[in-house]
Amino acid sequence: MSTTVEELREQVRAPVVTSDDPGYDEARTVHNGMFDRHPLVIVRAEQAADVVAAVNFARDAGHDLSIKGGGHSAPGFGTNDGGVVIDLSLMRAVHVDPNSRTARAGAGATWGDFNYATHAYGLATTGGIVSTTGVAGLTLGGGIGYLSRAYGLTIDNLLSADVVTADGQIRTASPTENEDLFWALRGGGGNFGVVTSFEFRLHPVDKVYVGLFFYELEYAGALLRFFRDFIPIASAAYGAFPAFQIAPPLEFIPADRHGDTFCAAIVHWAGPLDKGEEAMGPFRDLAPRVAEMVGPMPYPALNTAFDGLFPKGIRSYWKGSFVTELTDAAIEQHLVYGPKVPEVSATMHMYPINGACHRVPAEDTAFAYRNATFATVILASWHDPAVDAERIQWVRDYYNATAPYSEPGGYINFMDDDDRSRVHDNYRGNFQRLADTKRAYDPDNLFHFNQNISPSP
C-alpha cells in the first residue's frame, strides 16, 4: 500500500507543498517560462533523508518524478503535471577545504553559490557560463565552462557523489565505491538517481583577465576562421568563444549602437594576470572593434556576466552539437543564420573543449566526445509568448543548416525535449555501458524526466 501525501508530510522534516498550500505557485516554477506545470506534490528537500522519502513515495505510488536543482533544464525536466517534484534548492551549502583544495556542494547549489564559497580561498573549478545554473545539472551532463581547456570538464574534477538510487538507498559513488555508478554519473545526466552532494577538486583561480570584443558583422567570417586556427594551438589558459550578439545597453558600447547586431569574442585568460593584456592581443589584431571591455576581474564576476540576459521566467529553446573540425562550409552557414539572431537574449556560442578535456580517454567517463574541438549552442530566449514559433524556428533552421558539418551527437545540457532521439548518438560507444548501468540501478526507469537512457535490453 502506497503512502499518501499526508503520510509523506509526517515522514519528512522538509516542506511538502501541494496546490492547497501557500507558495505552491512559486515552488512549481522553473527557469524556463515555457513550462507552466502543476505537480501533485513538491518536496523541498533539506537533507538526504527527505530525498529518500520522496523517491520511495514516487516509486511506490507510480508517480512521475522530476528532480529540480537549479531549474535551468531547457526541456523543463525539473517539473511535471500530476507527479512528484524533488526540489533540491534548499540544499545549497558549499564547504571548502583549502588544504586539500576540495569542496563539497549540496545538490541545490548554483554556480554562483559555489564560486562565492571557493573564491574566498582563491580557488575554483570548471563551472558554467551563467551563475544561476545549478551545480547538479551542469555536472551530470559533463560540465563545459570557462575553465574547461585549463582544468577539464566539471566531471573531470568530480571526486565523489552521494546518490539516492531508485531503491531508496543512499550510495557513495567514487573511484573506489560503486565505480560503475560513478562512471555513469560523469556525463550520463539524471538517469541514475538523485545526487544530493558533490565533491570537487579545486584549482588556484582568483582574478582572471577578460576581454569582451564587439566587431562589425562583416568580420564574422574572419573571427570564426581565426578562432578555428587559434584554439588548437592556444595556451590552455584561454577560455575564449565567438558569438553572434545583439548589443545590450552596456556603458562600454556606444549608445547609438545599442540594439545593433555584431559578432563578438568573449575572451577569458586564466594565466598570470601580468600576461593578460598580451593575451588579448590576437583578438585586438583580428579586426577593428566597435566596442571592447578589457581588464582583470574576480572569476565569480565573469561567471555572472550573462546572468542579466537570462532571468528566471524567460522563455527558452536551444540546440547543440559537437564539432571536431570547423569547416569553411560550416562557417558559411553560420554567416547566414548567425546575423539573424532575433533577441538580445538569443545567441550562438561556440565553446572550445580541447586542451585538458582531450587528456581524458572517451571510455573513462560517460562523456564520449573527447575528440571534439567545440561544443556549439544555438539559444533563443524571449519574453513574449506570441513569438514562440518564430524563435524556435530560428534555432531549428540554424541547427539544421550546420548539422551536416557537425558530429551526430551533442552536449546533453544543450538538448531540448525534441532531441531525445539523439541520446544514442550523444554517447556513441559508451551507450551500452550506460544502459547496463541504468538497468542495474533503475530497472523500472523511475528517473525518466531527462535525456533518457532506457534500461530495456
Side-chain angles (χ1 to χ4, degrees):
M1 182 174 174
S2 61
T3 304
T4 66
V5 172
E6 290 310 311
E7 289 171 331
L8 177 64
R9 289 185 195 272
E10 295 174 1
Q11 290 178 3
V12 300
R13 293 184 177 182
V16 174
V17 184
T18 71
S19 59
D20 295 328
D21 296 311
Y24 174 75
D25 283 335
E26 174 60 25
R28 69 185 180 84
T29 60
V30 290
H31 204 89
N32 190 344
M34 295 184 73
F35 300 101
D36 182 25
R37 292 176 177 163
H38 295 77
L40 170 69
V41 60
I42 302 160
V43 180
R44 304 203 66 209
E46 298 177 337
Q47 53 186 296
D50 302 324
V51 175
V52 170
V55 165
N56 289 339
F57 172 75
R59 181 196 63 237
D60 294 345
H63 290 307
D64 282 334
L65 176 61
S66 294
I67 313 303
K68 177 183 172 184
H72 269 230
S73 166
F77 290 145
T79 186
N80 62 62
D81 281 316
V84 179
V85 171
I86 299 177
D87 179 357
L88 301 168
S89 61
L90 299 180
M91 300 175 64
R92 60 192 301 175
V94 180
H95 174 73
V96 181
D97 183 341
N99 294 320
S100 64
R101 288 186 178 173
T102 61
R104 181 167 289 277
T110 66
W111 284 104
D113 298 327
F114 189 90
N115 293 333
Y116 177 76
T118 61
H119 184 69
Y121 300 93
L123 299 169
T125 201
T126 304
I129 303 299
V130 177
S131 77
T132 54
T133 301
V135 168
L138 185 115
T139 301
L140 294 173
I144 293 170
Y146 291 105
L147 299 174
S148 297
R149 297 185 70 247
Y151 299 118
L153 303 173
T154 308
I155 56 172
D156 300 334
N157 296 283
L158 183 64
L159 300 174
S160 69
D162 291 335
V163 191
V164 178
T165 47
D167 57 3
Q169 299 299 306
I170 303 173
R171 292 177 163 88
T172 296
S174 75
T176 58
E177 297 177 85
N178 298 300
E179 297 94 330
D180 55 342
L181 180 59
F182 185 59
W183 177 88
L185 291 174
R186 288 177 291 162
N191 276 281
F192 306 98
V194 186
V195 179
T196 57
S197 70
F198 298 82
E199 182 188 15
F200 295 102
R201 179 186 302 109
L202 303 176
H203 305 276
V205 179
D206 188 1
K207 286 188 175 181
V208 293
Y209 213 88
V210 175
L212 304 179
F213 301 100
F214 284 74
Y215 313 95
E216 299 286 8
L217 283 173
E218 65 185 278
Y219 298 108
L223 170 61
L224 293 173
R225 287 187 292 271
F226 160 77
F227 195 71
R228 171 187 65 190
D229 297 336
F230 174 77
I231 280 299
I233 60 174
S235 166
Y238 278 105
F241 58 88
F244 289 97
Q245 182 68 53
I246 294 175
L250 299 175
E251 290 185 2
F252 74 93
I253 300 173
D256 64 345
R257 302 306 304 271
H258 293 174
D260 289 352
T261 304
F262 298 99
C263 59
I266 294 83
V267 186
H268 153 255
W269 170 258
L273 281 183
D274 61 1
K275 300 292 186 182
E277 191 63 26
E278 179 183 344
M280 300 299 117
F283 292 88
R284 281 203 171 109
D285 295 341
L286 169 67
R289 283 90 55 215
V290 175
E292 67 175 55
M293 184 181 73
V294 177
M297 66 175 64
Y299 174 72
L302 172 63
N303 194 223
T304 65
F306 292 96
D307 288 7
L309 297 178
F310 199 56
K312 186 173 182 178
I314 199 167
R315 306 172 76 80
S316 302
Y317 181 84
W318 51 25
K319 287 190 178 296
S321 291
F322 290 122
V323 176
T324 301
E325 180 185 359
L326 182 60
T327 64
D328 288 340
I331 289 173
E332 287 304 311
Q333 296 305 315
H334 282 288
L335 298 182
V336 171
Y337 291 94
K340 298 176 183 177
V341 59
E343 300 261 353
V344 69
S345 50
T347 192
M348 185 286 298
H349 288 177
M350 188 178 294
Y351 303 119
I353 52 170
N354 60 335
C357 303
H358 281 188
R359 298 184 198 130
V360 178
E363 65 274 11
D364 280 13
T365 67
F367 190 99
Y369 276 89
R370 294 293 184 163
N371 65 316
T373 308
F374 306 108
T376 299
V377 61
I378 303 163
L379 164 67
S381 295
W382 65 96
H383 293 280
D384 183 1
V387 300
D388 283 3
E390 180 183 334
R391 298 297 180 260
I392 290 170
Q393 196 62 51
W394 173 74
V395 174
R396 288 176 174 168
D397 289 346
Y398 197 159
Y399 166 77
N400 288 333
T402 54
Y405 314 103
S406 306
E407 298 290 344
Y411 180 39
I412 65 165
N413 289 344
F414 293 161
M415 297 285 146
D416 222 297
D417 193 49
D418 54 2
D419 285 310
R420 294 198 198 196
S421 63
R422 299 176 66 193
V423 169
H424 194 289
D425 286 334
N426 296 342
Y427 293 112
R428 296 202 293 191
N430 289 338
F431 183 82
Q432 187 57 54
R433 184 176 174 185
L434 283 165
D436 293 342
T437 307
K438 175 75 169 180
R439 193 156 51 250
Y441 288 95
D442 186 17
D444 297 319
N445 207 10
L446 176 65
F447 302 107
H448 60 270
F449 270 73
N450 44 48
Q451 296 294 339
N452 194 237
I453 297 166
S454 172
S456 301

